[in-house]
Each structure stands twice: as structure tokens, then as C-alpha cells.
Short mmCIF file of all heavy atoms in Angstrom, two decimals:
data_model
loop_
_atom_site.label_atom_id
_atom_site.label_comp_id
_atom_site.label_asym_id
_atom_site.label_seq_id
_atom_site.Cartn_x
_atom_site.Cartn_y
_atom_site.Cartn_z
N VAL Y 223 278.52 251.61 113.80
CA VAL Y 223 278.80 252.91 113.39
C VAL Y 223 280.15 253.41 113.93
O VAL Y 223 280.85 254.27 113.23
CB VAL Y 223 277.71 253.98 113.76
CG1 VAL Y 223 276.44 253.60 113.06
CG2 VAL Y 223 277.54 254.10 115.24
N PHE Y 224 280.54 252.82 115.07
CA PHE Y 224 281.92 253.28 115.53
C PHE Y 224 283.05 252.89 114.72
O PHE Y 224 283.90 253.59 114.37
CB PHE Y 224 282.05 252.66 117.00
CG PHE Y 224 281.13 253.24 118.12
CD1 PHE Y 224 280.15 252.52 118.64
CD2 PHE Y 224 281.43 254.54 118.55
CE1 PHE Y 224 279.39 252.96 119.69
CE2 PHE Y 224 280.55 255.11 119.58
CZ PHE Y 224 279.55 254.30 120.08
N LEU Y 225 282.92 251.63 114.19
CA LEU Y 225 283.97 251.16 113.28
C LEU Y 225 283.72 251.81 111.89
O LEU Y 225 284.81 252.01 111.21
CB LEU Y 225 283.88 249.59 113.24
CG LEU Y 225 284.15 248.94 114.49
CD1 LEU Y 225 284.25 247.43 114.26
CD2 LEU Y 225 285.37 249.46 115.19
N ASP Y 226 282.58 252.17 111.52
CA ASP Y 226 282.34 252.90 110.32
C ASP Y 226 283.11 254.22 110.32
O ASP Y 226 283.71 254.62 109.26
CB ASP Y 226 280.77 253.20 110.13
CG ASP Y 226 280.13 252.20 109.18
OD1 ASP Y 226 280.87 251.49 108.50
OD2 ASP Y 226 278.99 252.21 109.17
N ALA Y 227 283.11 254.85 111.38
CA ALA Y 227 283.82 256.11 111.60
C ALA Y 227 285.26 256.03 111.22
O ALA Y 227 285.97 256.83 110.69
CB ALA Y 227 283.61 256.76 112.92
N ILE Y 228 285.89 254.83 111.76
CA ILE Y 228 287.30 254.66 111.49
C ILE Y 228 287.50 254.23 110.09
O ILE Y 228 288.47 254.76 109.39
CB ILE Y 228 287.79 253.48 112.46
CG1 ILE Y 228 287.69 253.95 113.96
CG2 ILE Y 228 289.29 253.06 112.10
CD1 ILE Y 228 287.95 252.90 114.93
N GLU Y 229 286.81 253.30 109.53
CA GLU Y 229 286.97 252.81 108.16
C GLU Y 229 286.69 253.80 107.13
O GLU Y 229 287.33 253.77 106.11
CB GLU Y 229 286.24 251.51 108.01
CG GLU Y 229 286.74 250.38 108.93
CD GLU Y 229 286.07 249.07 108.69
OE1 GLU Y 229 284.84 249.01 108.53
OE2 GLU Y 229 286.82 248.00 108.72
N SER Y 230 285.82 254.74 107.36
CA SER Y 230 285.55 255.76 106.40
C SER Y 230 286.56 256.90 106.37
O SER Y 230 286.61 257.70 105.59
CB SER Y 230 284.20 256.42 106.69
OG SER Y 230 284.11 257.03 107.92
N SER Y 231 287.49 256.86 107.36
CA SER Y 231 288.56 257.84 107.46
C SER Y 231 289.87 257.39 106.81
O SER Y 231 290.89 258.08 106.85
CB SER Y 231 288.83 258.21 108.92
OG SER Y 231 289.37 257.21 109.64
N GLY Y 232 289.86 256.25 106.14
CA GLY Y 232 290.94 255.78 105.38
C GLY Y 232 291.80 254.67 106.12
O GLY Y 232 292.98 254.51 105.83
N ALA Y 233 291.10 253.87 106.90
CA ALA Y 233 291.82 252.76 107.46
C ALA Y 233 290.99 251.50 107.49
O ALA Y 233 289.75 251.55 107.26
CB ALA Y 233 292.05 253.12 108.99
N ASN Y 234 291.66 250.32 107.53
CA ASN Y 234 290.98 249.01 107.60
C ASN Y 234 291.15 248.50 109.07
O ASN Y 234 292.21 248.42 109.53
CB ASN Y 234 291.65 248.03 106.63
CG ASN Y 234 291.07 248.27 105.21
OD1 ASN Y 234 289.95 248.52 105.01
ND2 ASN Y 234 291.98 248.12 104.24
N VAL Y 235 289.98 248.21 109.70
CA VAL Y 235 290.07 247.58 110.99
C VAL Y 235 290.31 246.10 110.77
O VAL Y 235 289.37 245.43 110.41
CB VAL Y 235 288.80 247.86 111.86
CG1 VAL Y 235 288.80 247.18 113.14
CG2 VAL Y 235 288.60 249.36 112.03
N VAL Y 236 291.51 245.67 111.02
CA VAL Y 236 291.87 244.26 110.84
C VAL Y 236 291.96 243.41 112.07
O VAL Y 236 292.10 242.19 112.02
CB VAL Y 236 293.16 244.11 110.03
CG1 VAL Y 236 292.94 244.82 108.68
CG2 VAL Y 236 294.26 244.83 110.69
N MET Y 237 291.93 244.12 113.23
CA MET Y 237 292.04 243.37 114.54
C MET Y 237 291.47 244.25 115.63
O MET Y 237 291.31 245.47 115.43
CB MET Y 237 293.54 243.08 114.88
CG MET Y 237 293.68 242.06 115.92
SD MET Y 237 292.80 240.50 115.57
CE MET Y 237 293.14 239.49 117.01
N ASP Y 238 290.89 243.65 116.69
CA ASP Y 238 290.40 244.35 117.76
C ASP Y 238 290.73 243.64 119.14
O ASP Y 238 291.08 242.46 119.19
CB ASP Y 238 288.85 244.59 117.67
CG ASP Y 238 288.17 243.35 117.71
OD1 ASP Y 238 288.13 242.76 118.80
OD2 ASP Y 238 287.59 242.83 116.64
N ASP Y 239 290.55 244.41 120.13
CA ASP Y 239 290.63 243.87 121.49
C ASP Y 239 289.39 244.36 122.24
O ASP Y 239 289.43 245.27 123.03
CB ASP Y 239 291.84 244.32 122.30
CG ASP Y 239 292.15 243.57 123.52
OD1 ASP Y 239 291.40 242.55 123.81
OD2 ASP Y 239 293.06 243.98 124.26
N LEU Y 240 288.22 243.78 121.89
CA LEU Y 240 286.93 244.30 122.36
C LEU Y 240 286.05 243.21 122.98
O LEU Y 240 286.19 242.07 122.61
CB LEU Y 240 286.25 244.94 121.17
CG LEU Y 240 286.92 246.09 120.43
CD1 LEU Y 240 286.16 246.39 119.12
CD2 LEU Y 240 286.94 247.33 121.30
N ASP Y 241 285.06 243.62 123.77
CA ASP Y 241 284.12 242.68 124.35
C ASP Y 241 283.26 242.12 123.19
O ASP Y 241 282.84 241.00 123.32
CB ASP Y 241 283.27 243.34 125.36
CG ASP Y 241 283.94 243.54 126.69
OD1 ASP Y 241 285.20 243.37 126.74
OD2 ASP Y 241 283.28 243.89 127.66
N GLU Y 242 282.90 242.92 122.19
CA GLU Y 242 282.16 242.40 121.06
C GLU Y 242 283.12 242.16 119.89
O GLU Y 242 282.92 242.60 118.81
CB GLU Y 242 281.03 243.49 120.67
CG GLU Y 242 279.81 243.42 121.45
CD GLU Y 242 279.94 243.99 122.80
OE1 GLU Y 242 280.87 244.85 122.98
OE2 GLU Y 242 279.23 243.69 123.75
N GLY Y 243 284.14 241.50 120.16
CA GLY Y 243 285.17 241.11 119.25
C GLY Y 243 285.96 239.92 119.66
O GLY Y 243 285.39 238.91 119.98
N THR Y 244 287.32 240.09 119.82
CA THR Y 244 288.14 238.93 120.04
C THR Y 244 288.04 238.42 121.52
O THR Y 244 288.30 237.28 121.77
CB THR Y 244 289.61 239.23 119.69
OG1 THR Y 244 290.09 240.17 120.52
CG2 THR Y 244 289.74 239.59 118.27
N LYS Y 245 287.87 239.30 122.46
CA LYS Y 245 288.02 238.97 123.82
C LYS Y 245 287.25 237.69 124.29
O LYS Y 245 287.76 236.87 124.99
CB LYS Y 245 287.53 240.13 124.74
CG LYS Y 245 288.57 241.26 124.89
CD LYS Y 245 288.18 242.31 125.86
CE LYS Y 245 289.19 243.42 126.05
NZ LYS Y 245 288.71 244.42 127.11
N PRO Y 246 285.97 237.51 123.94
CA PRO Y 246 285.31 236.36 124.39
C PRO Y 246 285.67 235.09 123.64
O PRO Y 246 285.22 234.01 124.04
CB PRO Y 246 283.82 236.65 124.21
CG PRO Y 246 283.73 238.09 123.87
CD PRO Y 246 285.08 238.37 123.21
N TYR Y 247 286.51 235.14 122.63
CA TYR Y 247 286.65 234.04 121.72
C TYR Y 247 288.08 233.59 121.45
O TYR Y 247 288.27 232.61 120.86
CB TYR Y 247 286.03 234.40 120.28
CG TYR Y 247 284.58 234.79 120.36
CD1 TYR Y 247 284.14 236.10 120.33
CD2 TYR Y 247 283.52 233.87 120.63
CE1 TYR Y 247 282.83 236.49 120.38
CE2 TYR Y 247 282.18 234.17 120.67
CZ TYR Y 247 281.87 235.55 120.57
OH TYR Y 247 280.51 235.86 120.70
N TRP Y 248 289.00 234.29 122.05
CA TRP Y 248 290.44 233.97 121.79
C TRP Y 248 291.08 232.90 122.63
O TRP Y 248 292.18 232.42 122.32
CB TRP Y 248 291.32 235.33 121.80
CG TRP Y 248 292.10 235.41 120.55
CD1 TRP Y 248 293.47 235.39 120.50
CD2 TRP Y 248 291.62 235.62 119.25
NE1 TRP Y 248 293.85 235.55 119.19
CE2 TRP Y 248 292.78 235.71 118.41
CE3 TRP Y 248 290.34 235.74 118.63
CZ2 TRP Y 248 292.66 235.88 117.01
CZ3 TRP Y 248 290.28 235.96 117.36
CH2 TRP Y 248 291.39 236.05 116.46
N SER Y 249 290.35 232.41 123.57
CA SER Y 249 290.88 231.25 124.44
C SER Y 249 289.80 230.27 124.71
O SER Y 249 288.59 230.64 124.75
CB SER Y 249 291.38 231.78 125.75
OG SER Y 249 290.35 232.36 126.57
N ASP Y 250 290.10 229.00 124.73
CA ASP Y 250 289.19 227.96 124.87
C ASP Y 250 289.19 227.48 126.40
O ASP Y 250 290.13 227.80 127.11
CB ASP Y 250 289.62 226.65 124.03
CG ASP Y 250 289.38 227.07 122.52
OD1 ASP Y 250 288.60 227.89 122.18
OD2 ASP Y 250 290.05 226.33 121.66
N VAL Y 251 288.13 226.78 126.73
CA VAL Y 251 288.10 226.06 127.98
C VAL Y 251 288.87 224.78 127.88
O VAL Y 251 288.77 224.09 126.81
CB VAL Y 251 286.65 225.76 128.40
CG1 VAL Y 251 286.68 224.93 129.70
CG2 VAL Y 251 285.87 227.05 128.56
N GLY Y 252 289.74 224.50 128.78
CA GLY Y 252 290.63 223.33 128.80
C GLY Y 252 289.81 222.01 128.68
O GLY Y 252 288.60 221.97 128.96
N ALA Y 253 290.50 220.91 128.16
CA ALA Y 253 289.80 219.69 127.89
C ALA Y 253 289.71 218.70 129.03
O ALA Y 253 288.89 217.80 128.94
CB ALA Y 253 290.42 219.12 126.61
N ASP Y 254 290.65 218.83 129.99
CA ASP Y 254 290.72 217.74 130.93
C ASP Y 254 290.44 218.16 132.41
O ASP Y 254 290.80 219.39 132.72
CB ASP Y 254 292.17 217.12 130.93
CG ASP Y 254 292.49 216.53 129.55
OD1 ASP Y 254 291.58 215.82 129.02
OD2 ASP Y 254 293.56 216.75 129.08
N GLY Y 255 289.82 217.35 133.20
CA GLY Y 255 289.61 217.67 134.59
C GLY Y 255 288.22 218.16 134.94
O GLY Y 255 287.33 218.05 134.04
N ASP Y 256 288.08 218.60 136.06
CA ASP Y 256 286.67 219.04 136.64
C ASP Y 256 286.21 220.18 135.71
O ASP Y 256 286.91 221.22 135.49
CB ASP Y 256 286.87 219.47 138.04
CG ASP Y 256 285.60 220.27 138.53
OD1 ASP Y 256 284.56 219.72 138.40
OD2 ASP Y 256 285.83 221.40 139.06
N PRO Y 257 285.02 220.10 135.20
CA PRO Y 257 284.52 221.13 134.22
C PRO Y 257 284.34 222.45 134.93
O PRO Y 257 284.61 223.51 134.22
CB PRO Y 257 283.18 220.56 133.72
CG PRO Y 257 282.83 219.49 134.69
CD PRO Y 257 284.06 218.92 135.22
N LEU Y 258 283.97 222.54 136.13
CA LEU Y 258 283.78 223.86 136.79
C LEU Y 258 285.11 224.52 137.04
O LEU Y 258 285.21 225.76 136.88
CB LEU Y 258 283.08 223.68 138.15
CG LEU Y 258 281.53 223.46 138.10
CD1 LEU Y 258 280.92 223.37 139.49
CD2 LEU Y 258 280.89 224.61 137.33
N HIS Y 259 286.07 223.73 137.33
CA HIS Y 259 287.43 224.30 137.58
C HIS Y 259 287.94 224.82 136.23
O HIS Y 259 288.51 225.86 136.15
CB HIS Y 259 288.44 223.36 138.09
CG HIS Y 259 289.74 223.85 138.37
ND1 HIS Y 259 290.15 224.43 139.60
CD2 HIS Y 259 290.93 223.90 137.66
CE1 HIS Y 259 291.37 224.83 139.61
NE2 HIS Y 259 291.90 224.50 138.40
N ARG Y 260 287.80 224.04 135.16
CA ARG Y 260 288.19 224.52 133.83
C ARG Y 260 287.51 225.79 133.45
O ARG Y 260 288.10 226.72 132.84
CB ARG Y 260 287.90 223.41 132.85
CG ARG Y 260 288.94 222.25 133.00
CD ARG Y 260 288.32 220.97 132.55
NE ARG Y 260 287.71 221.03 131.26
CZ ARG Y 260 286.72 220.24 130.90
NH1 ARG Y 260 286.21 219.31 131.71
NH2 ARG Y 260 286.17 220.32 129.68
N LEU Y 261 286.22 225.88 133.71
CA LEU Y 261 285.43 227.10 133.43
C LEU Y 261 285.98 228.29 134.20
O LEU Y 261 286.13 229.35 133.69
CB LEU Y 261 283.90 226.91 133.61
CG LEU Y 261 283.20 226.01 132.66
CD1 LEU Y 261 281.82 225.70 133.18
CD2 LEU Y 261 283.10 226.73 131.35
N ALA Y 262 286.14 228.04 135.52
CA ALA Y 262 286.76 229.13 136.37
C ALA Y 262 288.05 229.63 135.89
O ALA Y 262 288.29 230.80 135.85
CB ALA Y 262 286.78 228.67 137.89
N GLU Y 263 288.85 228.71 135.57
CA GLU Y 263 290.23 229.09 135.04
C GLU Y 263 290.12 229.85 133.66
O GLU Y 263 290.81 230.90 133.58
CB GLU Y 263 291.06 227.90 134.85
CG GLU Y 263 292.52 228.14 134.53
CD GLU Y 263 293.34 226.84 134.57
OE1 GLU Y 263 292.86 225.80 133.96
OE2 GLU Y 263 294.41 226.88 135.22
N ARG Y 264 289.33 229.40 132.84
CA ARG Y 264 289.22 230.12 131.53
C ARG Y 264 288.50 231.50 131.71
O ARG Y 264 289.10 232.50 131.14
CB ARG Y 264 288.40 229.26 130.61
CG ARG Y 264 288.50 229.80 129.12
CD ARG Y 264 287.26 230.62 128.84
NE ARG Y 264 287.36 231.34 127.60
CZ ARG Y 264 286.45 232.23 127.06
NH1 ARG Y 264 285.39 232.52 127.82
NH2 ARG Y 264 286.70 232.78 125.95
N TYR Y 265 287.42 231.62 132.43
CA TYR Y 265 286.75 232.83 132.41
C TYR Y 265 287.39 233.86 133.30
O TYR Y 265 287.21 235.08 133.16
CB TYR Y 265 285.28 232.63 132.93
CG TYR Y 265 284.36 232.23 131.82
CD1 TYR Y 265 284.04 230.84 131.55
CD2 TYR Y 265 283.75 233.18 130.99
CE1 TYR Y 265 283.27 230.45 130.47
CE2 TYR Y 265 282.84 232.80 130.07
CZ TYR Y 265 282.60 231.39 129.69
OH TYR Y 265 281.86 231.04 128.77
N LEU Y 266 288.24 233.39 134.26
CA LEU Y 266 289.06 234.35 135.20
C LEU Y 266 290.35 234.74 134.47
O LEU Y 266 290.75 235.82 134.58
CB LEU Y 266 289.17 233.73 136.48
CG LEU Y 266 289.83 234.61 137.57
CD1 LEU Y 266 288.92 235.80 137.79
CD2 LEU Y 266 290.10 233.88 138.85
N THR Y 267 291.02 233.76 133.95
CA THR Y 267 292.38 234.06 133.39
C THR Y 267 292.57 234.06 131.92
O THR Y 267 293.53 234.56 131.45
CB THR Y 267 293.43 232.94 133.93
OG1 THR Y 267 293.15 231.67 133.28
CG2 THR Y 267 293.24 232.84 135.49
N GLY Y 268 291.58 233.54 131.22
CA GLY Y 268 291.72 233.38 129.74
C GLY Y 268 291.14 234.54 128.94
O GLY Y 268 291.23 234.56 127.74
N ILE Y 269 290.47 235.56 129.66
CA ILE Y 269 289.88 236.64 128.91
C ILE Y 269 290.69 237.89 129.42
O ILE Y 269 290.78 238.16 130.56
CB ILE Y 269 288.40 236.84 129.32
CG1 ILE Y 269 287.56 235.63 128.92
CG2 ILE Y 269 287.84 238.02 128.63
CD1 ILE Y 269 286.15 235.60 129.27
#
């Protein structure tokens, strides 16, 4: 309903920077090396 309020006022929401949006998905965990280090790096610096 929050986005409904914006879109019903004459705008299209075409991008966001939200926890229930792009934030958890815009960076990947790296492919090489210790998996725990890669997870720590991504979850700490990639979000």
C-alpha cells in the first residue's frame, strides 16, 4: 500500500533502495576462496 500511494498520485516506481527491494539482491557473493570469508565480505560490504 505504501507504493500504491505513490503510484496512484501520478508516478511510476521504477527503482528503489529498500530492504524489501534491491538491497538484498544487488550484489553477489564472490566465487573464489574461503566461503565464510566471502559471505562476511558480501554481507558486510556488499549491502
